[in-house]
Amino acid sequence: MAELSPSIEHLIHCLRGLPGVGPKSAQRMALDLLERTPERAARLAEALQTALNKVQRCTQCQNLCESAVCELCADPCRDASQLCVVESPLDVMAIEQSGAFKGGYFVLKGRLSPLDGLGPDEIGLPRLAQRLDQGNVGELILATSSTVEGEATAEFIVQMAKPHGIAVSRLARGIPLGGELGLVDRHTLSHALNGRKAF
Amino acid sequence: MIAGNISAFVLHRKPYRETGHWVSLFTYEFGRVAAIYRPSRKKSGPLLSPFQAFVIELHGEGELKTLRQLDDVQSPILLSGTAQYAGFYLNELLYRLLPLYEPHEHLFQAYADLLSRLQVPGALEARLREFEGLLLSELGLGLELWPEGAETHTFASYAFDVQEGRVIFFGEHPQPSRAPGVIEGLDPALLKAAARHDWSVAGALAVAKVLHRARIDYVLEGKPLKSRNLLKQYLELGRVEKKSTPGR
């Protein structure tokens, strides 16, 4: 097969860096965009450029938004003394969809993972420390993932919060709604038992 | 190649494609191994989690294997607090220092034992130093903190040659110029204690820490260990908290 042009190769290379896109998928996407839907390719390029120009991190919570302060932080109806710490903007969307939380958020840029080169600075914990120093946070709700790295991130934040005397809680883990005990893995079940609540 | 019933720990994993994982494993039989794991969509299996002992099955001829079977053999070792960050440190050491497909059965056993004891309070530093020493020694990069049977020379000046990984002494008069990669002014009593892992001698652990760190940094060509920094930052936060709550 003839070699692809350097520009196409470069496009494939860029697409391969996206989550869930392997070499074959990247090749298919690139050739489809260029060969069959060039107008879509132009729209995609424009959308990317516009998003790059406009999207920034909220100065309060680090969520992605198009103004200095995001809509959630600017909303006076939300309880800013409650701060829910999550790993990504997707987590904010998930919690918002639940409708169960009316406080503020702090969006980390991932979770502590030394082997991925992610330490406290890389995930934005110094900014969280500034928020805690301001003294208007009364409760921290740690909603980092239930992985070893998510736990390490939560523990680090607990340690950061201790000198401020802030109440800290962690999202409960256990049986999903509608789930049957026999289908739940034993680790989740042991968490559910350890975190049981009195009736 | 198909190899089953392999004892393994996960050192690191990253997402691979939509549902798979690229995973770095420390195995009893093959040492460090890289593999791709695609969990079954039909049945839920164990989580691919660090600090958990697994029995696995590996397939494939190339350097990157396919991880087919994954069974957890015990409840996960739930690390918290300092132990958790120490666990990250152990994993980063193994991930960055161990070559692929070089079995180190003794080291594997030491790692498994250490993980199960990390959460037990006390002696964490000593355990870490001993593991570092064993790891370096297994890789042929061991430290000679005190030559066996050597006497202490009253008027000698003791130093550690990081490149050679051993203690050197200069006789009565220390050499005037500071050689690069040489840590000078070491106390022979502490060196001896560190060499025989006698941590009851005050200062022996601190000396071992400095020398191990220098040797590891040399082997890693100065590229920093992110987990070491994380552990340090976490411990510093603890110190801040203690200062701010007097009486504890």
Side-chain angles (χ1 to χ4, degrees), chain A residues 115-195:
Chain A
L115 278 168
D116 290 311
L118 297 176
D121 291 349
E122 286 78 12
I123 66 169
L125 286 179
R127 179 74 195 104
L128 178 61
Q130 285 173 9
R131 283 289 298 269
L132 301 182
D133 285 341
Q134 285 165 6
N136 45 14
V137 176
E139 185 188 356
L140 268 181
I141 300 165
L142 303 179
T144 51
S145 62
S146 188
T147 60
V148 166
E149 292 82 1
E151 290 301 325
T153 310
E155 290 230 22
F156 200 93
I157 296 169
V158 168
Q159 205 74 311
M160 284 167 61
K162 271 183 185 171
H164 300 277
I166 298 168
V168 184
S169 56
R170 181 96 172 97
L171 281 197
R173 287 159 291 180
I175 317 295
L177 281 184
E180 291 179 32
L181 286 194
L183 297 174
V184 176
D185 72 273
R186 59 192 169 113
H187 307 319
T188 306
L189 203 50
S190 85
H191 274 301
L193 274 168
N194 290 335

Side-chain angles (χ1 to χ4, degrees), chain B residues 37-167:
Chain B
Y37 176 58
R38 291 186 181 87
S40 163
R41 289 182 188 186
K42 288 178 190 162
K43 55 172 188 174
S44 71
L47 298 168
L48 200 58
S49 182
F51 317 134
Q52 159 82 57
F54 291 106
V55 171
I56 61 166
E57 190 175 292
L58 290 172
H59 293 238
E61 298 301 322
E63 198 168 75
L64 187 63
K65 305 292 182 205
T66 302
L67 173 56
R68 286 273 164 84
Q69 188 96 20
L70 180 77
D71 294 312
D72 46 355
V73 290
Q74 59 182 54
S75 297
I77 299 166
L78 296 173
L79 300 178
S80 61
T82 312
Q84 189 165 219
Y85 301 95
F88 281 144
Y89 175 65
L90 296 179
N91 280 9
E92 188 170 12
L93 277 182
L94 292 171
Y95 178 73
R96 296 199 36 201
L97 286 171
L98 282 184
L100 283 169
Y101 303 104
E102 195 181 281
H104 291 279
E105 294 93 345
H106 183 44
L107 185 68
F108 181 90
Q109 201 52 56
Y111 174 74
D113 290 346
L114 181 50
L115 279 187
S116 62
R117 287 186 299 143
L118 269 184
Q119 198 61 60
V120 182
L124 176 67
E125 276 218 52
R127 288 169 188 156
L128 291 180
R129 297 296 85 80
E130 287 168 20
F131 186 80
E132 288 167 349
L134 177 66
L135 171 61
L136 289 167
S137 157
E138 285 271 327
L139 294 171
L141 303 162
L143 298 92
E144 190 184 58
L145 297 183
W146 192 258
E148 217 173 303
E151 295 292 320
T152 308
H153 300 272
T154 317
F155 300 108
S157 170
Y158 290 85
F160 181 74
D161 185 330
V162 176
Q163 208 167 330
E164 296 291 325
R166 64 185 179 88
V167 159

Side-chain angles (χ1 to χ4, degrees), chain B residues 29 102 114 170 190 196 228 237:
Chain B
E29 289 78 0
E102 195 181 281
L114 181 50
F170 297 126
L190 298 184
R196 56 173 193 270
R228 185 196 279 163
L237 280 177

